[in-house]
Amino acid sequence: MEYTICQSCGMPLHQLNEFGTDKKGIRVKDYCQYCFKDGQFTSDSTMDEMVELCAKYMTDISQNEAVTHLRQKLPTLKRWAQKENTQKEYHKSINKVLDYINEHLNEKPDLATLSQIANVSPFHFHRIFKAIIGENLGEYVQRLRLEYVAGKLKTTDLSLNILAEKTGYNSEQALSKAFKKHFGTPPSMYKLASTETRDYSQNQLSPQICEIAPKNIIYIRVIAPYGTKEVYDKAWSELNHFAADNDLLQKPNEWLGISLDDPNTTQTNKCRFYACLTIDKPIGPIGKIGCKNIKGGLYAIFTHMGSYSGLNEYYKNIWFGWLPSSDYRLRQATFFEKYVSDPDKVKAEDTVTEIYIPVSLK
């Protein structure tokens, strides 16, 4: 038998009794007895958990050095390379499906179509979708439709009949019933209760109105309460490392954020955010890294000075102060933020954020 290292934990294997066994009890060459026994892994641990466990036994170097070494080593081993490649394909597939759903909220999700977009069998699609998103497909689409309606009730005078057409409901009555079940109140009462009563007339905004060119972006999706530091820091770090490893970091790069939900409507732990970086030319999606195009066109560009925690109130000023009294209306395109200053290098009160709102003349 060829002696090697365990393709799960990286432990050197020098003697026959150190090797794991298959279902018949025969020694296998790829894994140690601690990781693989009777034809299966002894624990369903993640790679991060394996790193932490193995680092404890590497007493000849510091814990930090051990963790760094293992984080470099384990991804090259058979167990984790296979799992990582599979996970990358799943994330890439679900990103494509999410983009499709966002653009087709007025259509009923067809399992055959979505599984074809994902390039995954219908049998496995539901399981993969729920594992990554945390909701099953039907719940997810229903929630997005109803939250879209709630947003329009707050900021427009669109009738319920028109909103039913835009979100794929057969009638105004069907939408009203689903809306009441989800939010606990009928659409008419929701609109009345959510009408912004604060006077924003004293906080007049003066945005720049500009035509901007289309932007190619790469992104990492985050589903968590907006601004959750640990989760957001990880996403930005992964995006930065991917860009650096693929020679995509250049001076014209812009760091953007796309917030897809209103935290006043969506449950905070389900708020979707895309951490984005502009790139010169479009590339294909790779694992968690998605790619899309932000269409060009007319935008109202607002400049916010101060902590990100003040953005929610600033957006209310835009919706309920500036927009109703302006000569513009919202158009169907991507809303996004551009982070002008590095929050790690400036004080919170000196942070500059540009807010891009797609508009057209009334």
Side-chain angles (χ1 to χ4, degrees):
M1 177 173 286
E2 177 186 354
Y3 296 126
T4 179
I5 66 171
C6 175
Q7 294 296 302
S8 172
C9 66
M11 183 180 81
L13 302 175
H14 300 296
Q15 299 178 20
L16 187 61
N17 63 4
E18 294 175 339
F19 288 83
T21 56
D22 64 13
K23 291 181 179 179
K24 297 180 179 180
I26 299 173
R27 300 291 179 178
V28 297
K29 69 175 184 178
D30 286 334
Y31 303 106
C32 73
Q33 62 175 329
Y34 304 107
C35 291
F36 197 79
K37 186 178 182 180
D38 298 332
Q40 61 184 4
F41 291 109
T42 55
S43 68
D44 189 25
S45 60
T46 65
M47 189 178 72
D48 286 340
E49 290 170 340
M50 183 64 76
V51 166
E52 295 297 326
L53 176 63
C54 294
K56 295 178 181 179
Y57 295 95
M58 299 176 66
T59 56
D60 55 329
I61 56 177
S62 71
Q63 283 289 291
N64 286 340
E65 290 174 329
V67 168
T68 299
H69 169 77
L70 289 167
R71 287 194 183 281
Q72 295 173 345
K73 182 66 177 178
L74 262 60
T76 67
L77 302 181
K78 181 178 179 179
R79 179 182 183 182
W80 309 111
Q82 291 176 338
K83 183 177 286 191
E84 185 175 6
N85 288 337
T86 300
Q87 287 298 316
K88 282 183 177 179
E89 287 302 310
Y90 286 165
H91 278 281
K92 181 174 74 172
S93 298
I94 295 304
N95 276 342
K96 291 166 64 176
V97 169
L98 295 180
D99 287 342
Y100 179 87
I101 290 173
N102 288 341
E103 296 169 4
H104 297 81
L105 278 181
N106 63 326
E107 301 174 11
K108 291 184 178 179
D110 178 82
L111 180 58
T113 299
L114 296 181
S115 60
Q116 185 175 16
I117 291 171
N119 197 27
V120 175
S121 71
F123 178 78
H124 289 103
F125 178 77
H126 277 299
R127 176 179 60 83
I128 295 168
F129 187 93
K130 186 167 185 178
I132 292 177
I133 301 304
E135 298 176 84
N136 67 45
L137 177 63
E139 292 172 344
Y140 179 81
V141 174
Q142 170 95 329
R143 180 173 64 79
L144 291 195
R145 287 175 171 175
L146 294 175
E147 288 173 357
Y148 171 85
V149 171
K152 292 301 181 182
L153 289 174
K154 287 181 180 180
T155 59
T156 73
D157 292 323
L158 291 176
S159 69
L160 206 60
N161 188 48
I162 292 176
L163 290 174
E165 293 179 7
K166 285 180 172 290
T167 49
Y169 285 91
N170 295 329
S171 66
E172 179 179 333
Q173 291 73 25
L175 171 57
S176 183
K177 182 179 179 180
F179 191 96
K180 183 177 180 180
K181 182 177 180 180
H182 184 78
F183 288 102
T185 185
S188 57
M189 295 299 294
Y190 182 91
K191 183 176 180 66
L192 184 63
S194 62
T195 300
E196 188 65 42
T197 57
R198 178 172 173 178
D199 182 11
Y200 285 98
S201 61
Q202 301 302 315
N203 301 322
Q204 294 184 1
L205 302 177
S206 300
Q208 288 183 296
I209 307 297
C210 301
E211 288 276 347
I212 71 165
K215 297 176 183 290
N216 296 307
I217 63 169
I218 55 174
Y219 66 85
I220 287 185
R221 180 188 64 253
V222 173
I223 300 179
Y226 282 144
T228 305
K229 181 172 174 52
E230 182 179 352
V231 179
Y232 275 51
D233 285 351
K234 182 180 178 181
W236 287 117
S237 177
E238 289 181 0
L239 188 65
N240 184 66
H241 281 121
F242 175 85
D245 292 344
N246 290 274
D247 199 27
L248 297 174
L249 290 178
Q250 300 173 359
K251 285 187 177 181
N253 288 132
E254 297 174 331
W255 297 94
L256 311 179
I258 300 176
S259 301
L260 297 176
D261 300 297
D262 177 359
N264 302 298
T265 301
T266 303
Q267 293 180 25
T268 56
N269 65 330
K270 294 180 179 179
C271 286
R272 299 165 296 160
F273 176 79
Y274 285 6
C276 312
L277 177 69
T278 60
I279 54 176
D280 285 343
K281 297 179 181 179
I283 63 173
I286 302 174
K288 291 183 180 180
I289 305 295
C291 58
K292 64 181 298 179
N293 176 267
I294 295 178
K295 296 179 181 179
L298 195 65
Y299 277 80
I301 306 172
F302 300 82
T303 301
H304 175 262
M305 290 286 297
S307 170
Y308 297 137
S309 62
L311 285 173
N312 188 25
E313 188 65 22
Y314 196 87
Y315 274 109
K316 288 182 179 181
N317 198 354
I318 294 173
W319 305 141
F320 304 112
W322 176 79
L323 188 61
S325 60
S326 75
D327 296 326
Y328 299 91
R329 58 170 172 257
L330 300 178
R331 64 181 176 86
Q332 193 69 29
T334 303
F335 298 71
F336 63 93
E337 297 162 2
K338 176 181 175 181
Y339 307 115
V340 179
S341 54
D342 185 340
D344 293 329
K345 297 180 180 179
V346 299
K347 295 179 180 179
E349 58 268 26
D350 296 327
T351 302
V352 180
T353 307
E354 292 181 353
I355 299 172
Y356 287 69
I357 307 296
V359 296
S360 61
L361 284 167
K362 290 180 179 177

